């Protein structure tokens, strides 16, 4: 399909039009940072955002989500609750797109998760080409997630006055046809876009001191590495690193009832392997007792376990966990430290 | 895309039997006489609506199912506490069966050694009874069972039956006798005093031809594994059933992860050779 | 737990406190008027004249600050099946325990009451768990309305109260707040027990630790982080004792002081 | 010969503990006093050694009902000590927040604590059966005022965003607009409240006394101002000790104060009497409907004055929001304090009356001395004098009625006794 051009002036009207039929979610300012939130005013959209506090996974797996409702009493009944709205998700960066592809695998393999997948199916993704690193903490180039090659319906590249729009799916093409005021790209615009894309790599530093493909085998050797003890000293076990990670999807499920104890809801909440009680079982046994062991588990999931399961690394190099950690723990430095000491 | 893997089937609680001070045996009937269709070693996610869900091993064996199944549950917290307060006829939610059960096929034609400790008998009972119902398929059947006290021995009638049977070698032990508890002679099972490992010297095994299976609290299976290995049983002939926190049962929630493995999907029954290197497993 | 009409009888008591937690209970009626259908309140001095001595659940607000408080606490313990510490004063001693940090309690009395100091009986402020066994706590200064209602429901269901063991940062992140520490503002969120829905950071004010610390707080890392936020050693010590003076200037001494 | 002794231990439905001890033999009153037996908490002593940033959050914990009042007054005293200037926006938000607390506290007092007496109900809970509409209205007003406080300070009880220099959080214009709509809608509830309270049969009792409050030139004073006495005195707040000469009485943990006469009254009625002219016209209307015209000398009508102030605060809140919206609301950080040695006093007229906080700081910004003078303390002597005069007038009535009338008098004063457990005059260096 051919490349389209969307003038920047046409963005607000496009969003306005979309808002009539969809929940439109996009990056907006939140204090000094940014967050993906439903757009109430097109002027609030900030496609120039650096990164968001939480990744867009919350659109597909909300922080708190109803899985079922039930009645109590003599003959209790359960109803599945699937909370989904037609949504357009605007402005996803490539790293987050890679992460989403991984979540898709996690939620569809073996036992497909209807809650996640329904939202996924009802959401159109309009991603955005990263031409510059979002900030100093990201290392997408090293993790091979700098390019958005699949998973989007539409993909935008900033040409200055306008966006070049790549069409990824038929649904994307339909959306554009129905709501967008676009035209075909000229040859000049097409080559400008190609040029931007091919030359951008020089702006991105390769911050991992080795090939990311080495990670699974490197971490295999690093199970008893002293680095975990160092993290033991510094980590708070606050779970921020996993909550902000676009590929973390662990959860807890709890029942909530009304005061009359006649009905209730089963709610899924985000959970974190960093929290002390995550792996504790009845009787008090905790299979990941120390903060260091829990940090090791996080590193292993990012660099090894998810790869073994899904064929893609669990870290996309977005840098969020590094930015957010109150103790300035950096997974990137961690990988580099381990590698330097072992190989 | 509207059936949720998290939606429990509402089942009916049948007979409830108090087994010890803290354990009860629950018979559960699925609607419309459906059968659970499980393998020994698998588990269900049991819901008490309003309280929550917990993974529980199916303790009855498929060979003895009349459409219903049994769970043996210790009261330790919210869900198990609420279950213990329920009456026959009450409704509870069931999802499953989930997980990988015991390797019946690789056990056929071999000697089998079962060494459960305490509540670890619950999942193993499903397998033991299945084996006994197909007794001809197996060579020797050895059961070594230990509990902390005599009053904590589970399934006493069946233990008695196994002790009595000529084609089963069943030895029992308790860590120590209950204080001030008098037992009627007919209830009084023949028991060794001491931890479960004290039973191992009592038996001879044909190590290479034996499949050994254990389940119990971590401190117990640690030592049991050492005994099994001491007897020369090959690592790949040893299986254990593990317990982890679980919130979904279907490999998503992450709680039960043991290094790279998910206890709910890759287990709960594991081959020792596959997990012996995993610090988080043992 | 319940008597013939099926509703458990509950009573509220107060000791040294600002009574803000009891008020929060009253405020919870704005959104949960059905609380009154779920339990029968037989004693609540702040809100009602009626006084019943037959109750199963006692909610106790306030710290124990003098010997004569102890007898009242013993009586409550004797009558109630469940004693719930309501709010920080009862849970950790709250700011009342700041007086314990003063060099001399006699001087403290004199400073406030002058030559009449002798009329005022006092000893170091303590959480009620230092005097009687407590079955559950609802942390916070003041308690969180929704958490109070949640605990009541859990007790009605026979469950554990359900107070989180994890730190405030969890709730703060899930709300997608901009982290204050990243903006160089002090915050005790990483070591403080969650359950308040991170209300202070949400409103731009660093956590002051009013809910007490999590079971294994990383004390040293907290001090390092506050140091980086520009606090002096005295300011760090002060921050860490503001609501937790009873336990001294280290979060670790509170270990084992689990909510449940 | 009548021998009668009324001893009501722990008067209920007041915030704190108090005992009434009336001992009348042969018509003589042996003892008649309101005791404060609340466990003393020693705030002034233990804030010494704490950094200035903590002071208003610690002293907020003096009282759960007037937390905004303590927090605001404390922050203002610290700001004076350290020379911090607030922006106009922050000043407006402080006032708005304060109105929220006045409404909240007054609705709690008038509806939950006083009204049950008139309906023969032991509390607001059985009142639901007697007058559900009134209870629901009270809950609605309380929710509105609580939400108003929370919108600015984060929560009503112990506001987190209220700090030295202003606020750590700014409400959005959308939030302010939504709040304005709710305040406008609340006029109906205000009207119904005036209706309800003007229908009540207040006990007949008059005793003239001195009324002390804050006053300002341009508005009905709550946040800051000068001290004003109905006996014709005015002082800057720094001279608060001229008014509050405190004395200790053996049976009470609260201290008593006196000024021109043997006692004075503070609170809604004192403000009403001193600053009536500055009330919003709608509030003056309400006063007329309640049959109140200054100077009102029946202390039971303190509750009436509270209803009038509720109306005033709803109207003035709408006005403040309009002003904020007109100026445009910008998120702003609190004004920075320059850490230095200093001393500061300031005052607010909180729901129960005039409140003073007075601090001294060392050059690191740590508190070295503190004094807080709380309204309930100031009322304590006046309440006791009222009782001395009221008891002979009603002593012939049945004992239960005497007891109830005295309890009602105590409640009319709205004594916030947890805060009243205080204090000594301190020499500042
Ligand atoms: C595959 C599998 C099979 C199982 N089979 C059986 C079986 O056949 N029979 C059986 O009885 N059990 C079995 N279990 C164990 C059972 O799942 C647990 O006992 C059950 O989940 C407990 O749930 P609960 O809600 O009753 O307890 P919870 O309320 O979750 O608490 C249980 C206990 O855990 C501890 N605990 C929980 N949370 C905390 C915390 N935050 N801090 C400190 N301690 C805490 C406490 O000691 C508490 O009493 C099995 C588990 C697995 C994984
Ligand atoms: S964010 Fe940092 S401190 Fe918190 S759990 Fe992760 S690594 Fe530990
Ligand atoms: S591990 Fe950190 S850098 Fe990697 S994807 Fe997760 S949050 Fe981003
Ligand atoms: S603001 Fe405080 S509570 Fe929130 S994430 Fe940062 S440190 Fe944690």
């Amino acid at each position: 399909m051919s490349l389209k051009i969307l003038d920047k002036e046409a963005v607000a009207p496009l969003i306005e039009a979309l808002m009539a039929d969809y929940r439109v979610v996009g990056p907006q300012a939140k204090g000094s940072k940014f967050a993906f939130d439903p757009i109430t005013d097109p002027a609030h959209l900030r496609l120039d955002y650096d990164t968001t506090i939480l990744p867009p996974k919350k659109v597909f797996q909300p922080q708190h989500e109803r899985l079922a409702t039930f009645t109590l009493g003599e003959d209790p009944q359960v109803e599945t609750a699937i909370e989904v709205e037609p949504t357009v998700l605007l402005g996803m960066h490539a790293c987050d797109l890679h992460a989403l592809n991984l979540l898709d695998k996690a939620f569809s393999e073996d036992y497909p998760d209807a809650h996640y997948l329904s939202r996924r199916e009802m959401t159109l993704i309009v991603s955005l080409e990263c031409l510059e690193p979002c900030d100093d903490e990201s290392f997408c180039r090293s993790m091979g997630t700098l390019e958005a090659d699949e998973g989007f319906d539409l993909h935008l590249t900033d040409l200055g006055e306008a966006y070049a729009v790549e069409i990824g799916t038929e649904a994307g093409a339909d959306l554009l046809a129905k709501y967008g005021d676009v035209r075909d790209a000229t040859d000049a615009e097409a080559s400008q876009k190609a040029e931007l894309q091919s030359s951008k790599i020089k702006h991105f530093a390769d911050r991992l001191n080795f090939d990311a493909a080495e990670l699974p085998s490197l971490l295999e050797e690093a199970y008893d590495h002293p680095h975990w003890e160092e993290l033991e000293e510094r980590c708070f076990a606050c779970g921020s690193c996993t909550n902000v990670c676009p590929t973390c999807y662990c959860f807890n499920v709890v029942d909530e009832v009304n005061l009359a104890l006649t009905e209730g809801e089963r709610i899924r909440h985000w959970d974190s392997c960093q929290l002390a009680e995550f792996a504790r079982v009845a009787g008090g046994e905790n299979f990941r007792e120390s903060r260091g062991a829990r940090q090791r588990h996080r590193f292993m999931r990012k660099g090894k376990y998810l790869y073994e399961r899904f064929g893609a690394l669990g870290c996309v190099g977005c840098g969020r966990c590094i930015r957010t950690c109150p103790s300035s723990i950096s997974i990137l430095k961690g990988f580099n430290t381990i590698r330097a000491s072992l190989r | 895309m509207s059936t949720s893997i998290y939606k429990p089937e509402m089942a009916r609680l049948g007979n409830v039997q108090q087994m010890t001070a803290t354990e009860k045996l629950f018979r559960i009937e699925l609607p419309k006489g459906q059968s659970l269709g499980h393998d020994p070693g698998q588990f269900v996610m049991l819901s008490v609506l309003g309280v929550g869900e917990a993974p529980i091993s199916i303790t009855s064996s498929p060979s003895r199912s009349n459409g219903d199944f049994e769970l043996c549950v210790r009261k330790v917290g919210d869900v198990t506490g609420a279950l213990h307060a329920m009456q026959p006829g009450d409704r509870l939610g069931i999802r499953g069966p989930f997980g990988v059960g015991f390797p019946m096929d690789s056990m056929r034609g071999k000697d089998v050694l079962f060494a459960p400790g305490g509540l670890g008998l619950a999942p193993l009972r499903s397998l033991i009874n299945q084996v006994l119902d197909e007794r001809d398929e197996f060579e020797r059947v050895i059961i070594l069972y230990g509990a902390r006290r005599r009053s904590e021995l589970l399934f006493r009638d069946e233990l008695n039956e196994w002790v009595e049977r000529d084609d089963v070698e069943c030895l029992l032990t308790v860590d120590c006798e209950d204080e001030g508890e008098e037992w009627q002679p007919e209830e009084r099972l023949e028991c060794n005093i001491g931890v479960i490992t004290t039973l191992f010297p009592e038996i001879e095994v044909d190590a290479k031809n034996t499949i050994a299976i254990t389940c119990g609290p971590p401190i117990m299976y640690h030592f049991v594994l050492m005994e099994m290995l001491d007897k020369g049983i090959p690592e790949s002939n040893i299986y254990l059933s593990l317990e982890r926190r679980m919130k979904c049962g279907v490999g998503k929630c992450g709680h039960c992860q043991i290094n790279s493995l998910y206890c709910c999907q890759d287990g709960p029954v594991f081959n020792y050779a596959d997990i012996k290197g995993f610090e988080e497993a043992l | 737990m319940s008597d013939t009409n099926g509703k458990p009888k509950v009573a509220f008591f107060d000791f040294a406190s600002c009574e803000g937690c009891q008020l929060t209970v009253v405020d919870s009626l704005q959104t949960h008027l059905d609380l009154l259908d779920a339990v029968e309140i037989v004693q609540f001095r702040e809100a009602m004249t009626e006084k019943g001595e037959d109750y199963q659940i006692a909610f106790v607000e306030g710290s124990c600050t003098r010997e004569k408080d102890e007898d009242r606490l013993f009586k409550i313990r004797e009558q109630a099946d469940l004693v719930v510490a309501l709010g920080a004063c009862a849970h950790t001693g709250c700011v009342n325990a700041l007086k314990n940090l003063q060099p001399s309690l006699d001087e403290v009395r004199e400073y406030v009451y002058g030559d009449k100091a002798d009329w005022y009986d006092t000893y170091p402020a303590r959480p009620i768990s230092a005097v009687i066994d407590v079955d559950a706590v609802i942390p916070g200064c003041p308690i969180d309305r929704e958490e109070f209602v949640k605990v009541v429901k859990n007790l009605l269901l026979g469950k554990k109260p359900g107070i989180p063991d994890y730190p405030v940062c969890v709730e703060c992140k899930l709300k997608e707040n901009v982290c204050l520490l990243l903006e160089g503002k002090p915050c005790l969120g990483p070591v403080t027990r969650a359950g308040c829905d991170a209300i202070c950071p949400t409103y731009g004010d660093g956590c002051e630790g009013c809910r007490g610390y999590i079971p294994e707080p990383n004390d040293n890392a907290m001090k390092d982080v506050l140091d980086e936020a520009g606090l002096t050693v005295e300011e760090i010590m002060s921050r860490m004792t503001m609501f937790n003076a009873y336990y001294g200037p280290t979060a670790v001494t509170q270990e084992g002081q689990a909510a449940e | 010969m009548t021998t009668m002794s009324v001893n009501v231990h722990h008067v209920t439905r007041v915030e704190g503990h108090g005992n009434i001890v009336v001992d009348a033999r042969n018509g003589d009153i042996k003892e008649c006093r309101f005791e404060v037996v609340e466990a003393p908490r020693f705030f002034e002593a233990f804030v010494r050694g704490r950094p200035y940033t903590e002071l208003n959050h610690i002293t907020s914990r003096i009282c759960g009902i007037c937390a905004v009042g303590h927090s605001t007054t404390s922050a203002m005293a610290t700001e004076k000590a350290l020379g911090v200037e607030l922006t106009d926006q922050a000043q407006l938000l402080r006032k708005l927040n304060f109105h929220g607390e006045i409404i909240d506290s007054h609705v709690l007092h008038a509806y939950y604590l006083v009204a049950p007496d008139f309906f023969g109900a032991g509390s607001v809970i059985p009142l639901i059966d007697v007058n559900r509409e009134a209870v629901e209205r009270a809950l609605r007003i309380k929710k509105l005022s609580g939400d108003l406080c929370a919108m600015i300070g984060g929560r009503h009880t112990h506001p987190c965003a209220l700090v030295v220099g202003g606020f750590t959080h700014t409400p959005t214009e959308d939030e302010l607009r939504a709040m304005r709509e709710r305040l406008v809608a609340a006029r109906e509830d205000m009207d119904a409240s005036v209706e309800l309270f003007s229908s009540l049969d207040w006990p007949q009792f008059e005793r003239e006394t001195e009324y002390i409050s804050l006053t300002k030139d341009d508005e009905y004073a709550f946040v800051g101002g000068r001290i004003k006495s109905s006996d014709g005195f005015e002082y800057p707040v720094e001279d608060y000790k001229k008014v509050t000469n405190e004395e200790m009485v053996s049976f009470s943990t609260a201290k008593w104060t006196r000024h021109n006469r043997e006692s004075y009254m503070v609170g809604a009625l004192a403000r009403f009497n001193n600053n009536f002219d500055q009330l919003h016209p709608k509030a003056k209307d309400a006063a007329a409907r309640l049959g109140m015209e200054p100077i009102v000398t029946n202390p039971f009508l303190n509750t009436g004055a509270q209803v009038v102030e509720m109306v005033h605060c709803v109207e003035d809140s709408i006005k403040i929001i309009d002003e904020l919206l007109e100026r445009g609301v910008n998120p702003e950080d609190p004004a920075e304090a320059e850490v230095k040695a200093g001393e500061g006093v300031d005052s607010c007229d909180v729901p129960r009356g005039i409140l003073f906080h007075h601090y001294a700081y060392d050059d690191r910004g740590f508190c070295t001395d503190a004094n807080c003078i709380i309204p309930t303390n100031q009322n304590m002597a006046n309440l006791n004098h009222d009782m001395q005069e009221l008891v002979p007038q009603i002593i012939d009535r049945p004992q239960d009625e005497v007891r109830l009338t005295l309890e009602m008098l105590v409640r009319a004063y709205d004594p916030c006794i947890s805060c009243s457990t205080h204090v000594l005059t301190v020499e500042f260096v």
Side-chain angles (χ1 to χ4, degrees), chain A residues 276-278 280-285, chain B residues 22-24 41-45 51-59 70-84 98 119-123 215 241-247 256 263-264 267-269, chain C residues 159-160 163-165 215 258 260:
Chain A
E277 64 228 74
F278 189 80
R280 188 187 289 138
V281 298
E285 187 83 25
Chain B
T22 50
E23 277 103 1
K24 284 183 179 178
Q42 283 192 300
F43 66 95
V44 291
M45 291 299 287
V51 180
E53 263 191 329
I56 304 289
S57 302
I58 304 144
T59 190
E70 288 171 338
L71 305 176
C72 169
V73 180
R74 174 177 293 173
K75 182 177 167 176
V76 295
D78 290 348
V79 176
T80 53
L83 178 68
H84 269 243
F98 295 125
L119 187 56
L121 181 57
C215 180
S241 175
L242 297 180
E243 182 194 327
R244 287 298 179 277
R245 202 170 174 117
M246 287 178 190
K247 290 291 167 183
C256 72
C263 185
C264 68
V269 176
Chain C
K159 287 168 62 169
K160 294 188 286 290
I163 303 296
D165 264 354
E260 308 186 343

Side-chain angles (χ1 to χ4, degrees), chain D residues 336-386:
Chain D
E336 290 270 345
E338 185 199 331
V339 177
K340 58 176 186 194
E343 186 182 331
V345 186
D346 219 329
S347 173
C348 288
D349 221 317
V350 299
R352 281 157 201 76
I354 188 164
L355 165 71
F356 301 96
H357 280 235
H358 183 181
Y359 307 125
Y361 289 105
D362 68 15
D363 55 5
R364 302 162 312 150
F366 282 64
C367 179
T368 52
D369 269 310
N371 190 15
C372 309
I373 303 215
I374 275 119
T376 298
N377 290 353
Q378 301 174 61
N379 270 337
M380 215 42 69
N382 207 57
L383 168 59
N384 275 271
H385 289 122
D386 276 353

Side-chain angles (χ1 to χ4, degrees), chain C:
Chain C
M1 165 91 48
S2 56
D3 67 351
T4 42
N5 71 9
K7 288 202 233 174
K9 292 187 172 151
V10 308
F12 291 81
F13 300 92
D14 49 77
F15 292 80
S17 66
C18 78
E19 308 198 4
C21 292
Q22 288 186 75
L23 265 175
T24 307
V25 171
V26 174
D27 280 349
S28 68
L29 295 179
Q30 291 160 20
T31 37
H32 299 283
L33 200 52
D34 46 353
L35 256 178
L36 300 177
D37 300 323
V39 298
E40 185 182 340
I41 302 177
V42 300
Q43 204 179 134
F44 197 160
R45 190 191 50 77
E46 192 181 68
M48 58 196 264
T49 310
E50 302 92 331
K51 238 184 226 180
E53 293 302 337
D54 168 28
Y55 48 86
Q56 286 100 38
I57 307 180
F59 288 96
V60 180
E61 182 199 74
S63 309
C64 181
T65 61
R66 50 190 177 178
E67 228 160 290
K68 68 178 172 197
D69 293 341
E70 294 187 9
D71 285 340
R72 249 178 95 214
L73 282 170
F74 293 141
K75 280 209 191 91
I76 293 166
R77 180 69 269 184
E78 210 166 282
Q79 167 62 33
D81 297 336
L82 285 179
V83 173
V84 185
L86 185 72
C89 288
H91 174 212
T92 62
C94 194
V95 296
N96 299 314
L98 286 175
K99 77 169 186 214
N100 307 2
L101 301 182
Q102 294 286 327
S104 139
L105 277 192
D106 284 341
E107 190 275 337
V108 162
R109 281 197 298 177
E110 248 172 66
Y111 184 77
V112 180
Y113 294 105
D115 54 359
K116 309 293 191 302
D118 284 353
W119 299 347
Y120 305 96
D121 180 22
T122 195
Y123 69 24
R126 55 201 68 185
I128 62 167
S129 61
V131 180
I132 55 171
D133 285 340
V134 171
D135 303 292
V137 305
I138 304 180
C141 178
I143 57 166
D144 179 84
R145 237 183 256 190
E146 295 306 320
E147 189 171 50
F148 168 75
V149 174
K150 180 178 100 173
V151 169
V152 169
K153 286 177 192 169
N154 284 344
L155 295 179
L156 291 174
L157 282 168
K159 287 168 62 169
K160 294 188 286 290
I163 303 296
D165 264 354
Y166 48 76
V168 175
C169 292
V170 172
E171 292 172 339
C172 195
K173 275 279 106 47
L174 264 50
K175 288 179 94 173
E176 205 163 4
N177 290 334
V178 178
C179 176
L180 296 168
L181 284 172
L182 301 189
E183 303 201 314
K185 298 174 188 155
C187 181
L188 293 182
V191 292
T192 301
R193 188 184 294 281
C196 54
D197 210 16
I199 182 151
C200 292
T202 303
Y203 281 85
D205 186 38
C207 172
E208 293 169 336
C210 78
R211 297 175 53 86
Y213 296 128
I214 52 169
E216 288 166 57
N218 193 342
D219 216 31
N220 289 330
M222 193 71 250
K223 288 172 185 158
D224 288 348
V225 167
L226 292 178
D227 178 60
E228 269 163 49
L231 268 58
T232 64
V233 173
E234 285 142 313
E235 285 165 343
I236 292 171
M237 287 308 162
S238 183
R239 185 88 176 183
M240 295 189 74
T241 52
M242 188 169 168
F243 282 95
N244 295 282
Y246 180 75
Y247 302 93
T250 154
V252 171
T253 44
Q254 215 179 342
E255 211 175 301
Q257 168 67 21
E260 308 186 343

Side-chain angles (χ1 to χ4, degrees), chain D residues 228-305:
Chain D
K228 172 176 178 175
S229 150
S230 57
D231 286 354
F233 302 89
E234 266 197 40
Y235 307 102
V237 292
E238 282 74 15
D239 290 351
Y240 72 98
K241 283 181 194 161
K242 290 194 180 140
V243 182
T244 63
N245 305 291
E246 289 189 304
E247 63 174 308
M248 312 289 300
V249 284
S250 66
F251 52 76
S252 176
T253 37
K255 295 175 178 179
W256 289 18
T257 54
R258 59 160 84 208
H259 174 238
N260 191 38
R261 315 186 188 200
E262 56 186 356
S263 68
Y264 63 86
M265 184 175 187
V266 299
L269 193 61
R271 290 189 292 259
F272 176 91
N273 281 336
N274 286 352
N275 300 323
F276 178 81
D277 288 345
Q278 290 160 317
L279 282 168
H280 189 275
K282 282 210 165 92
K284 286 183 183 158
D285 265 9
R289 285 166 65 193
L290 285 152
M292 292 173 65
E293 206 183 312
I295 300 276
V296 173
T297 56
N298 179 353
F300 287 93
L301 279 170
N302 190 41
T303 308

